[in-house]
Amino acid sequence: MALSHNSFIRGFNSIYQQAPRIQPEDEADFIGYALAWQECVATHHHYEETELFPALEKAAGKEGLMDDAVQEHATFRGGLKTFKEYLQRENTKFVGTELVAIMDSFKDALHNHLAAEPPTIVRLAKYHTPETPIDILAIADAAGKKQLSIGFIFNVMPVFLLNMETVEFEGGIWHDVFPPFRGVVKTIFTKGVPMWNSRRWRFTSCSADGTVKQLAV
């Protein structure tokens, strides 16, 4: 989960830093990129509330364990909605500083949540017993697969995978572990899929091999 949240933060930062420097000829691509990030974050938190959290609470045998996280989602949901609405306006000039101002309105709430949730998940280990085992990774994997669709894979997933730094984070111990695919499949997702709408993904912060790269603008 920490890797996923790091990707969301890197995606946020890439939009925040590049928005004021976007030229008119790049606006459509950048708006598509920013909307993909918003959809990625919104979908992630929807899946947590509808699939992951209920499954974790059921496995632990304790309702309400993740209520605090759900309440945290509400603190930035409105900001994400405003962010999306701004980018989808028709016949209105895009102004990068206006987008940054919107991001300023929810950045602290989003960051606080993304920093707080992984330790909360780790603490669920205390409910793990031989009689009631809790395989958090298996639960998360099963819940996450329900969110995938062809549209999500081609139009949203690249913003997630190409903002994920795995080479240096925690000494690179997760580089070959997450995302959970290998070989040809990994190549397809990190290099093949991003060929669709490729001009959007040039604004990401990382390369397909999980290293930080220079921002496009």
Side-chain angles (χ1 to χ4, degrees):
M1 179 169 284
L3 283 168
S4 297
H5 286 195
N6 285 351
S7 173
F8 300 150
I9 292 170
R10 285 187 176 278
F12 180 101
N13 290 343
S14 69
I15 296 167
Y16 193 95
Q17 292 181 50
Q18 294 177 97
R21 302 195 291 266
I22 293 298
Q23 299 301 308
E25 62 269 22
D26 295 323
E27 286 179 6
D29 296 324
F30 185 76
I31 288 172
Y33 171 68
L35 284 170
W37 175 83
Q38 188 277 338
E39 180 66 19
C40 187
V41 174
T43 298
H44 172 80
H45 291 110
H46 175 74
Y47 120 83
E48 285 186 332
E49 293 183 14
T50 59
E51 299 288 345
L52 179 62
F53 292 169
L56 289 174
E57 292 178 354
K58 181 179 180 180
K62 189 174 179 63
E63 293 185 5
L65 277 177
M66 303 305 297
D67 283 356
D68 287 348
V70 173
Q71 292 172 12
E72 289 171 7
H73 291 175
T75 64
F76 55 82
R77 184 175 289 119
L80 282 174
K81 182 174 182 289
T82 302
F83 177 93
K84 180 178 181 179
E85 290 173 345
Y86 177 83
L87 293 170
Q88 291 181 327
R89 297 180 309 171
E90 296 182 0
N91 303 317
T92 305
K93 179 177 174 57
F94 171 82
V95 180
T97 53
E98 292 180 352
L99 184 64
V100 167
I102 293 171
M103 298 174 78
D104 280 334
S105 73
F106 67 90
K107 67 180 181 182
D108 290 338
L110 177 62
H111 182 269
N112 290 342
H113 166 70
L114 294 176
E117 193 172 77
T120 299
I121 297 295
V122 170
R123 286 194 292 271
L124 295 180
K126 68 181 181 181
Y127 297 100
H128 176 90
T129 67
E131 294 75 26
T132 58
I134 302 177
D135 189 338
I136 294 176
L137 292 179
I139 292 172
D141 184 57
K145 287 179 179 177
K146 295 181 180 180
Q147 307 304 308
L148 294 180
S149 66
I150 294 298
F152 184 89
I153 289 172
F154 281 93
N155 297 315
V156 178
M157 187 173 284
V159 81
F160 176 65
L161 297 178
L162 300 181
N163 278 303
M164 188 175 295
E165 192 282 303
T166 58
V167 173
E168 295 185 4
F169 178 67
E170 294 190 343
I173 61 174
W174 305 107
H175 181 63
D176 294 320
V177 178
F178 192 85
F181 29 73
R182 309 280 183 276
V184 174
V185 176
K186 185 173 184 178
T187 300
I188 290 172
F189 276 108
T190 59
K191 296 182 179 180
V193 169
M195 293 176 68
W196 181 264
N197 291 322
S198 61
R199 288 183 58 81
R200 293 180 183 177
W201 316 130
R202 60 197 165 108
F203 299 109
T204 60
S205 63
C206 297
S207 64
D209 64 0
T211 58
V212 176
K213 70 178 183 67
Q214 181 71 36
L215 293 177
V217 298

